[in-house]
C-alpha cells in the first residue's frame, strides 16, 4: 500500500480488534535509501516511508550545531507557544500518502527535499472528518482517509468541508496550527520533510468561563467530553456507551445516566439545551456502531 496511517497500539484502551496497516522495519537511512531505490528501479508495487525522531541521536550533534535555530525559536516565542520539544524526519518514496489526521500541537513543517502536495482543513470541521474513537489506536486519524476519494455514503458530512491545496517545494515552510486536518502525498522520490512541534498554551480561564465559547473551543470540548465518557463508563465499553447516549438523545430519555452527566458538562460550558442534541449526535453518527477495520 502507498498509504501510511499513523497508529499507536498503546492507545488501544478500547481493546479494538486491529490489524496494523503497515509493516515496520528498523533500517539505517543508508539502508532505507538503497532498498527504496531498488524497489523503484525494479518497478515493484511496495512503498516505503521513513519516520524517525531526530532526538536521541548523539551522532547528529555536530549537524545540529550548524543549523540556524533562530526562526524556530522566534516563531515559538512570538506566538506564545512552548519551545519546540519534539520533531520527526520524514523520507518517502514517490506516491506515498499520509491519510487525513490532525496533531494536538503547533507544527512547523519544513520541506527539505523534493515536492509534496497537501490539503489542509480547519480544526472546526472536526465532525466532517469522522475521527476514529479516542479509545482507538488510530485516535486523531480520520476514517475518511483521503480527500481525493472519500466515501460520501459512509461520511456524508465530509462534502461540507472546504480544503486548502498547496504544493510544497524544497525550502518551503508550512505552519499547521493545532488541530488542523491534513493529507499529504509525495510527488517526487525520496521527498524529505521535518516537523517541529510546540505545545499550545492552555486557554486562560483566570477571569472565569467565557460567556460564549468559540467553535475552536467547542471542538476541543467534543474530544474532552468523549474522553470523560470513556473514563467514567469504561474504555472497553466506549462504543456501547456512545450508542446508549445517541439512543437517549433521540428518544428524549433525559433520565439516562450518561445523557444526564453529559448535559451537566455541556451546561458548564454554557451550551443552550436546544443546541445540545445536534452537538451530541454529530459526535456519534458515523463514528460508532461501525466496522472500523473497513477504514
Amino acid at each position: 500500500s502507498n498509504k501510511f496511517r499513523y497508529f499507536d497500539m498503546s492507545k488501544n484502551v478500547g481493546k479494538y480488534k486491529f490489524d496494523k496497516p503497515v509493516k515496520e522495519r528498523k533500517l539505517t537511512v543508508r539502508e532505507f535509501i538503497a532498498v527504496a531505490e531498488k524497489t523503484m528501479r525494479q518497478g515493484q508495487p511496495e512503498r516505503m516511508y521513513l519516520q524517525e525522531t531526530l532526538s536521541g541521536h548523539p551522532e547528529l550533534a555536530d549537524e545540529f550545531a550548524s543549523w540556524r535555530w533562530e526562526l524556530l525559536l522566534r516563531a515559538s516565542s512570538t506566538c506564545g507557544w512552548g519551545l519546540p520539544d519534539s520533531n520527526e524526519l520524514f523520507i518517502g518514496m514517490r506516491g506515498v500518502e499520509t491519510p487525513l489526521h490532525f496533531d494536538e500541537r503547533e507544527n512547523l513543517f519544513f520541506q527539505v527535499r523534493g515536492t509534496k502536495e497537501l490539503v489542509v482543513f480547519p480544526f472546526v470541521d472536526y465532525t466532517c472528518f469522522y475521527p476514529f474513537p479516542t479509545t482507538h489506536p488510530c485516535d486523531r486519524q480520520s476514517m475518511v482517509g483521503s480527500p481525493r476519494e472519500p466515501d460520501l455514503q459512509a461520511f456524508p458530512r465530509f462534502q461540507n468541508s472546504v480544503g486548502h491545496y498547496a504544493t510544497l517545494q524544497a525550502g518551503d515552510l508550512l505552519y499547521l496550527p493545532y488541530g488542523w486536518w491534513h493529507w499529504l502525498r509525495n510527488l517526487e522520490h525520496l521527498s524529505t520533510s521535518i516537523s517541529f512541534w510546540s505545545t499550545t498554551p492552555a486557554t486562560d480561564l483566570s477571569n472565569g468561563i467565557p460567556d460564549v465559547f468559540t467553535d475552536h473551543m467547542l471542538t476541543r470540548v467534543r474530544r474532552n467530553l468523549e474522553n470523560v465518557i470513556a473514563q467514567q463508563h469504561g474504555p472497553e465499553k466506549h462504543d456501547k456507551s456512545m450508542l446508549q447516549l445517541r439512543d437517549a438523545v433521540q428518544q428524549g430519555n433525559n433520565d439516562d445516566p450518561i445523557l444526564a452527566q453529559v448535559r451537566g458538562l455541556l451546561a458548564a460550558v454554557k451550551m443552550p439545551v436546544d443546541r445540545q442534541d445536534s452537538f451530541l449526535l454529530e459526535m456519534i453518527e458515523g463514528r460508532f456502531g461501525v466496522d472500523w477495520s473497513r477504514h
Side-chain angles (χ1 to χ4, degrees), residues 57-279:
H57 288 280
E59 69 275 15
L60 293 177
D62 290 341
E63 171 68 21
F64 285 167
S66 70
W67 288 15
R68 297 166 60 185
W69 294 93
E70 294 86 357
L71 174 62
L72 273 173
L73 299 177
R74 187 168 67 249
S76 299
S77 175
T78 301
C79 295
W81 309 334
L83 292 176
D85 58 6
S86 63
N87 54 66
E88 196 87 8
L89 170 69
F90 304 96
I91 306 176
M93 297 174 66
R94 182 174 63 246
V96 301
E97 295 183 17
T98 303
L100 283 162
H101 69 287
F102 72 91
D103 305 316
E104 291 184 299
R105 316 194 75 189
E106 310 293 345
N107 183 356
L108 290 176
F109 187 91
F110 289 83
Q111 185 64 19
V112 178
R113 180 184 189 275
T115 55
K116 177 172 289 190
E117 64 177 346
L118 74 153
V119 185
V120 300
F121 302 83
F123 184 43
V124 294
D125 285 351
Y126 186 84
T127 59
C128 297
F129 289 88
Y130 300 84
F132 284 87
T134 59
T135 53
H136 192 279
C138 290
D139 177 34
R140 297 187 298 102
Q141 314 296 306
S142 166
M143 288 193 281
V144 176
S146 170
R148 300 174 65 243
E149 46 194 24
D151 181 348
L152 294 180
Q153 277 197 316
F155 311 118
R157 286 195 302 274
F158 178 73
Q159 62 192 323
N160 298 326
S161 62
V162 178
H164 306 269
Y165 175 88
T167 300
L168 298 180
Q169 301 180 358
D172 284 345
L173 166 63
L174 172 71
Y175 166 47
L176 288 167
Y178 176 109
W180 274 57
W181 296 89
H182 46 289
W183 168 93
L184 310 97
R185 181 170 64 166
N186 282 3
L187 298 178
E188 293 183 47
H189 187 51
L190 299 181
S191 178
T192 303
S193 316
I194 302 178
S195 272
F196 291 92
W197 286 285
S198 298
T199 56
T200 304
T203 302
D204 183 6
L205 298 178
S206 59
N207 294 320
I209 297 176
D211 292 328
V212 178
F213 273 58
T214 65
D215 288 341
H216 188 280
M217 294 168 70
L218 287 175
T219 301
R220 297 183 74 165
V221 167
R222 291 183 192 275
R223 285 184 58 77
N224 292 337
L225 196 59
E226 188 176 333
N227 284 328
V228 167
I229 293 171
Q231 292 165 7
Q232 292 288 321
H233 302 279
E236 295 182 32
K237 300 177 181 178
H238 192 47
D239 185 50
K240 181 180 178 181
S241 297
M242 296 301 286
L243 293 178
Q244 178 179 327
L245 175 60
R246 178 202 62 188
D247 292 345
V249 170
Q250 292 178 334
Q251 297 167 12
N253 181 12
N254 289 311
D255 293 328
D256 179 87
I258 299 179
L259 180 56
Q261 177 191 25
V262 167
R263 290 216 189 279
L265 294 171
L266 292 178
V269 297
K270 303 181 180 180
M271 180 177 290
V273 174
D274 60 0
R275 188 181 174 190
Q276 292 180 12
D277 287 3
S278 61
F279 181 87

Side-chain angles (χ1 to χ4, degrees), residues 27-36 50 52 89 91 190:
L27 301 173
T28 66
V29 172
R30 189 184 301 275
E31 291 169 338
F32 170 84
I33 292 175
V35 176
L50 181 151
E52 174 68 14
L89 170 69
I91 306 176
L190 299 181

